[in-house]
Amino acid sequence: MTVRDELNRRSLRATRGRLQVYEALRAAEAPATVRDLHARLGEAAPDLATVYRILERFVESNLARPVMFGDGLRRYESTERSHHHHLVCTSCGSIGILDLCQVESLEKEALRSHGFRVTSHLLELFGTCPGCARQASRSRA
Amino acid sequence: MTVRDELNRRSLRATRGRLQVYEALRAAEAPATVRDLHARLGEAAPDLATVYRILERFVESNLARPVMFGDGLRRYESTERSHHHHLVCTSCGSIGILDLCQVESLEKEALRSHGFRVTSHLLELFGTCPGCARQASRSRA
DNA sequence: TTATCAATTGCAAATCGTTTGCATCTGGAT
DNA sequence: ATCCAGATGCAAACGATTTGCAATTGATAA
C-alpha cells in the first residue's frame, strides 16, 4: 500500500507536506519532535505550524502515535510498528524498543480494586544503555 | 518529624514560602500543577516563579515527586506516599492511586534483550472511573 | 541579641513549544 | 478547465516555565 493510498484511505489529501512528513516519520529511528521532523525536511519543508497540524491529523487518523518522555516535548512515531515501550538512555539519549507490554495484570488490578476501566497507558523506561554502561565502567577503572 | 525538621534535614531554609508549599502539597488530594498550588495559597502565596523554584528544590531533596500525565503540564505530589501509579479518568479527571507496580519483569526483559539497565519509569493508566462509567451507562439507557 | 552573608525571593522580561487567525493556495471531484 | 472545502504560510498570540538581577531574609557566628 503506497503512501498516497494510506492517506487516501483516511480521506486525507495527499499534499506534498503530508507525503514529506510521512516519509520523515517512517525514516526516523526514534520518536521525533516536530522540530526534528521539520528540520530533517530542510528547504522544501512545509511551515512549522503546518507540520504541527499534519501530525495532529496523523494522530487522529492513526498514522502516527504521540510519545511522551516526560521532558515536556511531544514526540511522534509512525504507527507501522505496533504498540511497544521505549528504553530511554538518560546518558546518551538513545532509544531502545521493548516489544513487551504487561499492563493487563495492572489493568485487572485497577478494575478489581478501584472499579477503574483502563483504556490506555503511558509507560516509558529510563536507564542506561549497554554502550553508556561500558563507557562508565571504563572511565571508572 | 515537623515540617521544619524535614527542611532542615535537607539543609533547606525554612522560609515561609517553603512551609506553605509543603503544606499545600501535603493537603492536595491529587498531583497538583504549580498553578494549582500557587492558587491554593491565595494572597499570602509566594511569587509563582518562586513556587517553581521551591518545587524544583523539593524534587532535588526528595520532598516532592514530579508526575507527568502527558498533557504537557508538570504536576507534583508529596513523597510521603510511596511509589505508585495513577488511574487518570479521561472523563472527569479524577485521580485514583494504584499501589501496585510490576515493572520488575519488564526491567528484567530490558536487561536480557537489550542489556539496558532500567533506573526509573513513567507509568500512568488512563480510562474511566466507576462514577463516570455509571453515568455513561445511565445516559445510554 | 545583633551583625553578617549566602541563600531565597519578587518582579519583569525572556524562552520555548505549541496554537490560532486569516488570507491565499491547491488537491481532487465535477 | 472550474470550483471549493480543505490545507498551508505567515505572523501574532499563548501558556508553561525559566532567568537576570536587585532587594530581602534565614541561620550562623560573635
Side-chain angles (χ1 to χ4, degrees):
Chain A
M1 179 162 295
T2 84
V3 185
R4 301 189 94 86
D5 290 338
E6 293 283 8
L7 292 173
N8 231 308
R9 186 147 65 91
R10 296 163 168 89
S11 35
L12 288 183
R13 281 196 197 165
T15 65
R16 164 132 59 125
R18 293 197 176 142
L19 299 178
Q20 290 179 126
V21 173
Y22 186 85
E23 283 315 319
L25 206 56
R26 259 167 158 281
E29 29 5 270
T33 63
V34 173
R35 278 207 123 69
D36 281 342
L37 294 168
H38 182 257
R40 267 180 240 243
L41 296 178
E43 280 304 308
D47 187 79
L48 186 59
T50 299
V51 179
Y52 273 100
R53 288 188 275 228
I54 289 177
L55 288 164
E56 203 175 9
R57 289 331 214 67
F58 280 11
V59 171
E60 293 167 9
S61 315
N62 197 41
L63 276 175
R65 181 188 303 134
V67 176
M68 307 294 197
F69 290 154
D71 61 355
L73 289 191
R74 195 185 311 159
R75 278 159 238 263
Y76 294 92
E77 65 183 1
S78 163
T79 49
E80 291 194 318
R81 185 171 233 134
S82 56
H83 181 73
H84 58 259
H85 296 292
H86 301 98
L87 303 175
V88 184
C89 180
T90 52
S91 171
C92 70
S94 72
I95 307 291
I97 288 187
L98 196 64
D99 277 310
L100 171 65
C101 176
Q102 317 166 310
V103 289
E104 307 116 42
S105 48
L106 277 181
E107 295 180 356
K108 285 203 184 82
E109 177 59 16
L111 187 57
R112 192 187 67 69
S113 62
H114 291 70
F116 186 96
R117 292 182 185 283
V118 175
T119 56
S120 70
H121 60 266
L122 177 57
L123 170 56
E124 305 300 349
L125 305 168
F126 304 92
T128 313
C129 71
C132 288
R134 251 194 306 283
Q135 282 207 326
S137 66
R138 225 181 263 140
S139 60
R140 215 185 302 119
Chain B
M1 178 164 291
T2 83
V3 185
R4 300 189 95 87
D5 290 337
E6 294 282 9
L7 292 172
N8 232 307
R9 187 146 65 93
R10 296 164 167 88
S11 35
L12 287 184
R13 280 195 197 166
T15 64
R16 164 132 59 124
R18 292 200 176 138
L19 299 179
Q20 290 178 127
V21 173
Y22 186 85
E23 283 315 319
L25 206 56
R26 259 167 158 282
E29 30 4 273
T33 62
V34 174
R35 279 206 123 68
D36 281 342
L37 294 168
H38 181 258
R40 268 179 240 243
L41 296 178
E43 280 304 309
D47 187 80
L48 186 59
T50 299
V51 178
Y52 272 101
R53 288 187 277 228
I54 288 178
L55 288 165
E56 203 175 8
R57 292 327 220 72
F58 279 11
V59 170
E60 292 168 10
S61 316
N62 198 40
L63 276 175
R65 180 188 302 134
V67 176
M68 308 294 197
F69 290 154
D71 61 355
L73 288 191
R74 198 184 309 158
R75 278 159 238 261
Y76 294 92
E77 65 183 0
S78 164
T79 49
E80 290 195 318
R81 185 171 234 134
S82 56
H83 181 72
H84 58 258
H85 296 293
H86 300 98
L87 303 175
V88 184
C89 180
T90 52
S91 172
C92 70
S94 72
I95 307 290
I97 289 187
L98 197 63
D99 277 310
L100 170 66
C101 176
Q102 316 166 311
V103 290
E104 306 116 42
S105 48
L106 277 182
E107 295 181 355
K108 284 202 185 84
E109 177 59 16
L111 186 58
R112 192 188 66 68
S113 63
H114 292 71
F116 186 97
R117 291 183 185 284
V118 174
T119 56
S120 69
H121 60 266
L122 177 56
L123 171 55
E124 305 300 350
L125 305 168
F126 304 92
T128 313
C129 71
C132 288
R134 251 194 305 284
Q135 282 206 326
S137 66
R138 225 181 261 141
S139 59
R140 214 185 301 117

